Structure formats: C-alpha cells, structure tokens
C-alpha cells in the first residue's frame, strides 16, 4: 500500500504461505489505481495538517510536501483482466512469492534508510554549524556514530546483493539471511540515529513557532531575533533545517522503519530459521574435542 | 517556559553562573503571566493541528487535548514589584541557584517520565490484547523491558531524594550526582521505551485514517471493519489507544525528554565533575598494591 | 555457595517453591563448614593458577590474592542439631523464603557492584594518566559513562531499601520489584563497564609478559623499558594497575555478575509478574477516554 | 606481533604517518623469526597456565591448546638483507602503507570474528541442549540475536570487498570507510555476543571444578554426578563445551577484539574523516529548500 496513491497500477499478493483450502486467496495481480470497486482511505501521518495547509516550511519538506502517504485499500468486486493475473490459485507457490518479495523489500530498505540517515547527518551537521556547536568534541562523536550506523546499514544492503544468486529465469535473488539482518538493523538504527539527531539539534525544535508567526508583522521580528544563530547563516535557514530534522525523526517516519517490509519479529523468526544451527554446533563440537555423531538440533 | 501559558505567574532566573560584569542579568523574580510588556509566542508541537481542530481522538488525548505547550517569552520593559524580586545583582549566588534548580528539575523528571512510561506500557498492553498478541513470548519480553526501564528510572528518582539533605533554612536539597544520572537516563529510556511501544503496537499507527473518516457515512463502516481487533474490544477503543500511543512516542514528547531540564551533555559534564576520581583512584591503587602519595588527578 | 570456603558456617535453603510431595526438601538450616559428611570441590576461576603460584602482581590482587572462590558442596548424611534447623518440612513457606532471600541478595548486588565499578573507574583513570591519555575527550566521555552506569546501579540499590517495609517481626524487607530491577542492571552494566575499561586501557593487557619476566635478569630491563608510560609513574605501577583491570573485566567476575543471585531471566519473570499491568492499563484507558469496566489483563 | 611466534618470517612496518625527520623509522621489511638480535618476550594470556600444564579440557581448546599468543618483539641491531626491504626512508609513503594495511586488517577482522561468533553460537546451542533449555523462548531470542550480530558483521566484511577497487599494480584495495565500520562493530559485537553466551550458558562456568578433579578417584564421581545434564549427552561433553565457551568469552579474546588492528577511536577518527559531510549537508540543504552556495564544512 506504500506509495499506492502515487502509482498508476498497484500489485496485489498474499501476505503469508497458504494451504489448499485458501486457494481463493492465492492471487497475485496488477490493477489500475482507479479501477472500479477500489476505495482508498488515506491515513493520517505525523503533522500532515501542515502539509495540507501549504505551510511548506513547517512541513519540513518545502519542495516535496504535497506527496506521499499510505492508504487502506478496500476491494469490492474488482475486475482484473486475465493478462494481469500472475498467480491464480496455485497455493504451493504462495509462500515462496511472499518470502522472495519480502527479502527484496527488506534488502532495499537498507539502502533507502542509508539515504535518509545521510540526509539527517547532513542536516544536523549544518544546524550545528548554524548554532556554533559543530566543533565540540561530543557533537563530533555523535555525528561519527550517525555515520557509523548509516554505513553499517549500507554494508548490509550491499552484501545482500553481493551474496545474491541468479535464478533459472535470469532474474537475481538476494541473500535472504542478510536481507532479514539488514531490515532488522533498520528497525533499530533509525531510532538511534533520530535520538542522536535530536540530541545535537537542541530543544528549539520543540518550541519553534509556526512559519506564519515568523512571517507575521506583529511578532515575526521577535521570532527572527531570538532564533538566530551564528552570523552568516540566515535565521530562516536554521528554521528550515530544524523543521526537516523534526520531520525525519518522529511519528510516521519511525513507525515505517519499524514495520515496513515486515515487523521486527518476522525478521527474527527467519534469522533463527536460516541460522543453520546444526552446522554451527558441528563446528563447536569439533573445536571442543567432542565426537560428532550429532544429535539432531533440538533448539 | 514549560507550562507558562497555563500558569498565573512565571518564575524568571539566569541559566548559567555569572561574573560581576553580568550583574544586570543576575535577576530572579516572579511575574504575573499577563504583565505589561510580556509577549508569548506559542510554539508548534507535534500534531497540534488535530488538537486545534478539536479532533479529540486523533489528538491522542481526548480528555486533555486543549491544554499544554511551550512558548517563547519575550520581555520588553516589564515592571516587577520589589517583593517579587529574589535575586537582584548578587552574581555570586547565580551559579548555585541555577545548579540547585536544575538538580531538582532533573530529579523530578525521573518520576514524571516513570508515569509516562507506565501509561505507555499500559497502552501497548491493552492494544496487544485488542490485537490478540498479548500472550506471544516476544511481546511479553518487550513489555518486561518497558517495565524494567521505567522502574530503573523510578529508582533513580527515589534515590535522589533518599540521599538528599536538609539545608540550614529547613528546605531539602536532592543529591546532585543522582539528579544528573536520573535525567541522563530520561534522555535514553524514553526513546527506547517508545521504540518498544511502536514495535508492539504494529504498523497500523502509520496507516490509520482520521476520526472524521471513521465517523463519515461514506467510509466509516469500512474503517470500522478493517481496523477491528479481537471480539469484545470495540474498534473505536483500539483506535483511541493507538492514537494515545502515537502521541506519546514521537515528536515534541521525545524532544522534551531529551532537552528539558538541560541537554544530555550538561548532565555528563556534571557527572564527570562530581565523580570524585581522586578517591576512586585511591581505591584502585590500594587494591593493586600501589603506594598512594597520590599524584593529583589529571584526567 | 559463594564464599562458603571462607566461612565458619554455611546456610542451606531450598531454591524454589515446593509442594507437599517435596516436604523432605523443605529444609533451612546452618551447618559448620567442617561438619562430617560435607565435601567441597573447589571450582576453577579465571587465572587462578597465577594466584596459586603466588604470582601476586599477575593475579591482579596482590594484597588479597589468596582468598575467594566458589565450591560445589556435596552433602552425604550430614547431622544437623535441632537448634540449627529453621524450616523443617513446612513447604508452604518455602516459596516465600526463597523469594525474600533472593530479593535481599539481588538488592545488595547493586551496592556490591557499584563498589567494583568505582574501583574499575579509578583503575582506568589512573592508567590513562600513566599512559598520557587522560585528557583526551573520548577518554573523558568513556569515564563519564562508567560513572553514570555505576551511579545508576547505586541509585537502584538505595531505592530498593528506601521503598522497603517493616515486617511484623521487626525486620525489614526490601522492595522486591526494585531488587529485581537492580540485579537485572548488574547483568548488563558490568559487561558494558568492562568493555569501556578495556577500551580505555588499551591493548597492552593482552601482550603484557609475566611478572617473572619483569623480574628476570635476562629480559626484565626490556619489559620495563617498553612498558613504561609517562614520567613520574613507575612502570611497575602501570603493570599492577593493568593486571587489576584484567582481573576485574573478564572470566569468573563477569559470569558471577550475570548469574549470581539468580539468572537474568529469573529477574525478568518477576519484573513482569510484579508490574501490575491491570493498573497500568487502567491509567492508559482513562487518558484515552475508554470506559473502564476493565477486561481482565490477559497478557 | 599477532601470531609472530608461529611464523617463519615477520613483517615490520611503521604504525603512523611520518615526516622527513623520521626517515630512519620509515622502514618496511621482512625478517626470519630467528634472526640474530631479535628477542621475543611472550605475553600472558587468560588462563594460559591451564594450557601450559596440558590440562587440555580446561584450556577450552583440547585440540589446539598448544598454539597461539602474542609476544613483545625487541630488535637489537638486526641485519636485514636488501631484497627483504620494501620501504627505506621514503617517508611520503609511510602514511599510505599504514592506512592500507590497517584497512585490510580491519576488513578481515569482520570475517574472522564472524567465524568466532558462529562457533560460540553453536557452542551455547549445544550446551542449551545438554541442559534442557534449548526450547525456551528467551533462549531462542538470545541465539537469534547472536546470529543477527554475527551476520551483520559478516555483511560489513563482504561489503568492504564488494566495494573494493583494483589498484594500478593489479592488486585490490578494500573500501576504507567500510573497513573501519567493520572493525568498529567487532569492538562492540564480540562483547555483546559474549554476554549473551554467558547468559545462556548459566552459572556453572564459574563453579566448574578442574578436569583433574573430574578424573580423580576421590571426587570424580561427584563431579560427574552433579554436573550431568540431559540424558544422552555425556557429562564430559557438557564440561568440554563449557570450557570452550569460557575460553571464547573472556580475557585476552575480548581485548584482542577491542584493540587488534587499531583501537576503537582510531576507527572513529577515520569514519568521521571519510564521512564526506560537505556532501551530506548539500543533500539536506536541497531537501530543506536552502540555497546551496555552501559555506565550507566547519564541523
């Protein structure tokens, strides 16, 4: 459903492995977004009112404020032409489709959120310059940690592809263990990076008045006076970057990193399952001088 | 400034130790909130539009939505009667007043946020019941962790008072080391507790439509159908608790835990300063069999 | 069993709640350590050979190297006089005795390990002086973190007593929730403090030769030359403090912090059980505007 | 120096960038380990006495106990033939050699410690089977976390090579940012994995008697009786795997993960330096709608 409202067509697929009794749900297909019988109910996102009211600075994303958002998509007797149906009752493939789709989604989450974290790192670095704190050793330590986490995530995403393999059809499949590891780190690192960003940014993000106040004749000069930073960086730029940081560190953005492409526990189940404990136990026994004749892994 | 807009009087004090040249700023006083010359510019808070539009469920706090918020307070030639002035140029006391005020503020932050975390723990526990996941072992582990962090914070707050001391005037002063430790933990635990809460809550918090959609004739029945949980818990209650969790885990709430009563680094500077390394070194030398005749602590 | 080998008498008690069928095991009593029928099999501890060979510096505890250690205690037909028996088959009290003993043990673990962490903080501070790194900002950050964790633990231990209560017999009982929270933090903080200490100490702890080499005619001068630090601090003192750090950051010391007074999961079970979720849910419902008539907590 | 005592030849190089005044130290060369003028002073490692006394089980590595260890290597007028000298006073290359060597060393640390963590995961999984706890949900959660951390490290190591590049000479150079990120994670993950392993293993690692006691006529039967686990797994195997876990989770092993291939702060300095903040700031400004004409990065 992510991004569906901005798309021409949407892809529909099951969310879990299916048995024969569920054949009616073993459907994968593509549908135009405006097909008859589809209702999209747009969800609320953090601070979406600012966007709707065209308060562009306060939205945090002045150039892209009008886009994005999730919707609940309701199907009521929707017709799908035959050539847009890719699975039609073959329940034996449902699990594999779900898992392969999830693996790709989880893998590219790492690259996506690396970009987000890089922007956030740039934003707080610029704000620290505007506030005159950029050279403080504890600020540099925190920026270093943000980069470290972002690059750790990036490396997981790269490795997921580097360890991928060619399917008989000529497509490529990512490494499923590393795809889950990558997404699991997203569910942690975005929060920690947001925490560090808010630490560096300072408390003004919670007290900053509306851009309408900043532009008002009555109090605008006061807002500009008391929120100014170092000389040479316009107060409006400090406010803009503060709003960008606000938008990237709270609310919907964090929920999406947590649950997009599957919730944390879904990844943990797969990490345990693909961990090949039988082989790890074999290695440990060998080093400890224990005869193999391995009992089955019971864990 | 926190809570000033809801108060009859506000207290004004310096924010740092002062030297003689800054005597003009060594002022502590009380002023009625509507005194002539005071301008309050109200800051934006996360999702404040929902509150302003009286969308009570979406605000997350249906019963208390209309209150709260920070304001920048501007003073322009404000008259203060003599009996409301508590410090008037005595720069030698400025540092002590700041530090003692900060210590009390940091100490009671622990108790305040323990309450917040307890409510959040209750909210996700109820939501897990509504969603049928309350008995899953990983959910119980996460709830346990939320309680553990909340109680750790509570214990720091209690100990800060238990180790307090009576001043000659008959007032009581908290333990300043523990007060800083307490607040430092607030800057970490609220984020971790929020992360766990959003993990337990699931992704629906990012896709849930407006309460106006829920109440609309056109799509209300769809919202109610597709957001329902286990039997016996009304869908509206699930939505209400979801909005409460949203309000307590993002945006202004987190910034306030980070920077209220002083930013994290301010506490760390005090923790290091009050850590009495000279004595700790003495203990270590004694155990290691090193003659004392201690060199001065240089760290 | 901890410390039994150094005691005149040992106390024996069950380790779990008991039902009527287990009445034979519902025994609490005191026995002289040398009673007939008792066999103590001394366990190995990290680097205990250094201690046994009287290499006092390498043991890390020159003044106390000869003491300490755990033993498996085997009972084979041991006679206990009547006045030394405190529970004798009353299974209904077994659970309470275990839990109260465990709570006190877990509570004082916090104070005990605060002392350990303080010494460790002093040790690395002194070593940093000896190595000329004490003023580096990242070293100060790490020392600050060590103090912060130690004081957090200390506050949990203090609060556990401050929230205690008087029993009808005139004794005092600690707060059981906080006692579990306190011990749970021990299982984490000692590891983190050890990690920080080894970070500050540097790699020389893994390459430092034996004190016999340091004292040998052949290579002693080389050891002293290449392990010397800043002027004014004898090389032998640097080595002594290094060995103390080694002894406090690895092996048995860490295992004991993990499992002494009950393993981590034992505390988590109690934290969840005493967390009073029903009340927390009530608070959350109230704030969210949900009617109480609370369903029973199912989590 | 790592592994030098087991090698035929050792490689010598500077440890830092050099200026012209230090030309005498701009030496890279290879020397046979038994060259005249070389003295190796063997360092103590955790529990090395067990190894020296040929207590093979207690050493934790019955099959490989006799090998390994670091030594301080002292050079006193050592002759090096011309063909074994690779740098001879060219100070301008010293920094590059150090950095490139460090990057490769840091990159392969990830793969090395992934192997270590895999063995440790296998060891605790086997021990949990022996102790009948392998199916407990909290044990499975901790094993999952161990796998997750190991695979995260593995992915960093893979990505470091995948992002590598061919040098004009035909060799390959790893990505230096990711190499530092990889090693930085080693300094954290080994400690956390060790903590989880000791949690799963239980307290018996701190109380387990010597293998000489286990083999003794007097108490051997008692050791075997009271340290037995589930039926079908010999008590000796439980003890062996316990000793392997002990050897991999404490002392020298952890210090080496911390400081081998450079201390944590050395990596952080490089991560910050290679983080290209100027570009990240540019991205943030663009999104926030701030005109570029970037001021130089001052952070």
């Amino acid at each position: 459903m992510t991004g569906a409202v901005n798309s021409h067509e949407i892809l529909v697929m099951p969310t879990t492995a299916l048995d024969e009794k569920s054949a009616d749900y073993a459907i994968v297909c593509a549908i135009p977004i405006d097909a008859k019988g589809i209702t999209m109910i747009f969800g609320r996102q953090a601070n979406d009112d600012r966007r709707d009211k065209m308060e562009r600075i306060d939205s945090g994303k002045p150039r892209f404020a009008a886009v994005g958002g999730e919707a609940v998509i309701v199907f009521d007797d929707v017709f799908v032409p035959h050539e847009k149906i890719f699975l039609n009752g073959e329940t034996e493939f449902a699990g594999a489709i779900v898992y392969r789709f999830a693996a790709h989604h989880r893998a590219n989450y790492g690259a996506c959120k690396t970009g987000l974290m890089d922007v956030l790192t740039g934003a707080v670095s610029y704000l620290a310059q505007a506030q005159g704190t950029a050279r403080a050793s504890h600020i540099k330590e925190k920026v270093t940690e943000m980069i470290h986490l972002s690059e750790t995530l990036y490396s997981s995403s790269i490795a997921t592809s580097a360890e991928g393999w060619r399917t008989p059809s000529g497509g490529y499949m990512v490494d499923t263990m590393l795809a889950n590891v990558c997404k699991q780190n997203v569910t942690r690192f975005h929060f920690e990076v947001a925490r560090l960003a808010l630490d560096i940014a300072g408390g003004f993000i919670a007290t900053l008045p509306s851009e309408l106040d900043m532009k008002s004749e009555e109090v605008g000069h006061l807002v500009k006076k008391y929120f100014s930073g170092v000389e040479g960086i316009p107060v409006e730029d400090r406010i803009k970057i503060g709003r960008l940081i606000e938008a990237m560190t709270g609310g919907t953005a964090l929920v999406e990193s947590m649950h997009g492409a599957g919730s944390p526990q879904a990844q943990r189940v797969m990490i345990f399952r693909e961990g090949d404990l039988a082989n790890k136990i074999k290695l440990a026994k060998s080093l400890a001088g224990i005869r193999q004749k391995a009992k089955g892994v019971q864990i």
Side-chain angles (χ1 to χ4, degrees), chain A residues 169-185:
Chain A
S169 74
Y172 285 86
M173 186 62 208
V174 293
D175 182 280
T176 50
M177 164 63 95
L178 296 182
N180 281 288
V181 164
C182 182
K183 174 67 216 310
Q184 179 81 183
N185 281 330

Side-chain angles (χ1 to χ4, degrees), chain A residues 47-62 65 209-213 215 243:
Chain A
N47 294 319
D48 48 9
D49 287 287
R50 302 185 191 177
R51 184 183 62 189
D52 296 345
K53 293 196 297 187
M54 299 299 280
E55 293 169 25
R56 290 191 167 278
I57 293 178
D58 285 4
S59 76
K61 286 165 287 180
S210 156
E211 67 178 284
L212 299 179
D213 283 324
K215 292 170 180 168
R243 289 295 180 203

Side-chain angles (χ1 to χ4, degrees), chain A residues 5-165:
Chain A
V5 293
N6 298 323
S7 307
H8 294 124
E9 284 191 295
I10 50 175
L11 285 164
V12 179
M13 56 183 294
T15 60
T16 179
L18 298 171
D19 60 16
E20 280 176 39
K21 287 177 293 181
S22 306
D24 287 356
Y25 294 90
I27 296 290
V28 179
C29 64
I31 317 167
I33 195 63
D34 55 356
K36 190 154 175 273
I38 287 184
T39 306
M40 303 186 86
I41 310 171
F42 205 63
R44 299 209 73 163
Q45 298 204 313
N47 294 319
D48 48 9
D49 287 287
R50 302 185 191 177
R51 184 183 62 189
D52 296 345
K53 293 196 297 187
M54 299 299 280
E55 293 169 25
R56 290 191 167 278
I57 293 178
D58 285 4
S59 76
K61 286 165 287 180
R63 295 171 57 198
F64 304 100
V67 299
E70 329 288 330
V72 175
I73 307 176
V74 182
F75 294 81
D76 185 11
D77 201 14
V78 179
F79 173 77
V80 184
H82 215 74
E83 68 273 18
K84 294 292 179 87
I85 301 177
F86 313 122
L87 188 79
N88 197 355
E90 300 89 343
T91 49
E92 66 270 33
F93 299 117
I97 286 180
V98 172
Y99 191 52
R100 290 191 174 195
F101 168 76
H104 276 105
H105 198 180
R106 288 169 193 177
N108 64 35
Y109 241 88
C112 163
K113 296 308 171 193
T114 296
L116 178 147
M117 293 182 197
D118 282 355
V119 169
L120 200 43
T121 305
V124 293
S125 297
Y126 180 68
L127 184 57
Q129 289 181 9
Q131 297 179 162
T133 58
R135 290 176 190 280
S137 63
H138 74 96
I139 298 290
K140 287 164 86 169
E141 276 294 325
K142 286 160 192 165
V143 170
T144 301
E145 185 64 17
M146 292 175 76
I147 301 171
H148 171 67
L149 292 174
S150 176
E151 296 289 337
T152 297
L153 200 55
Y154 176 70
S155 70
S156 292
S157 197
I158 290 292
T160 303
S161 293
E163 299 274 278
W165 47 277

